[in-house]
């Protein structure tokens, strides 16, 4: 049977884990899109710019599939460059 001390230790551990999960590396709660938040911190851009870049990357995947289907012998693929400038390259 689990004694009271073990139960309290487990609760403390659970609360600590929740606290760590709720806050970002900068000690502020992530309230919006966690991917955009992380991207914005990694590439030093706003979260709005991070969301824009994410949408462009998703669009590029569709474009790549269409070009690959229509030009399989000559199309080598696309890639997304994040630095020094954000752009989609072929």
């Amino acid at each position: 049977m689990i004694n009271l001390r073990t139960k309290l230790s487990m609760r403390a551990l659970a609360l600590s884990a929740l606290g760590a999960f709720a806050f970002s590396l900068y000690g502020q709660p992530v309230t919006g899109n966690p991917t955009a938040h992380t991207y914005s911190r990694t590439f030093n851009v706003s979260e709005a710019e991070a969301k824009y870049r994410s949408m462009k990357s998703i669009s590029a995947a569709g474009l790549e599939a269409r070009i690959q289907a229509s030009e399989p012998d000559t199309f080598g693929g696309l890639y997304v460059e994040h630095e020094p400038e954000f752009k989609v390259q072929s």
Side-chain angles (χ1 to χ4, degrees):
M1 181 162 193
I2 299 176
N3 64 29
L4 182 59
R5 180 178 286 173
T6 304
K7 285 182 182 179
L8 290 175
S9 295
M10 291 174 68
R11 286 184 183 169
L13 180 62
L15 286 174
S16 295
L18 285 173
F21 179 76
F23 290 91
S24 71
L25 294 175
Y26 296 95
Q28 301 195 6
V30 178
T31 57
N33 181 336
T35 303
H37 178 78
T38 302
Y39 186 99
S40 71
R41 299 300 178 258
T42 302
F43 293 104
N44 198 29
V45 298
S46 69
E47 286 192 33
E49 176 68 15
K51 289 176 187 176
Y52 169 79
R53 291 180 178 191
S54 177
M55 293 305 296
K56 287 296 183 185
S57 296
I58 292 168
S59 297
L63 174 63
E64 181 177 30
R66 287 192 305 275
I67 296 172
Q68 184 64 46
S70 67
E71 303 292 332
D73 296 332
T74 57
F75 182 66
L78 295 177
Y79 66 93
V80 177
E81 188 172 295
H82 298 276
E83 289 183 322
E85 284 181 37
F86 177 82
K87 58 185 168 182
V88 177
Q89 289 287 124
S90 64

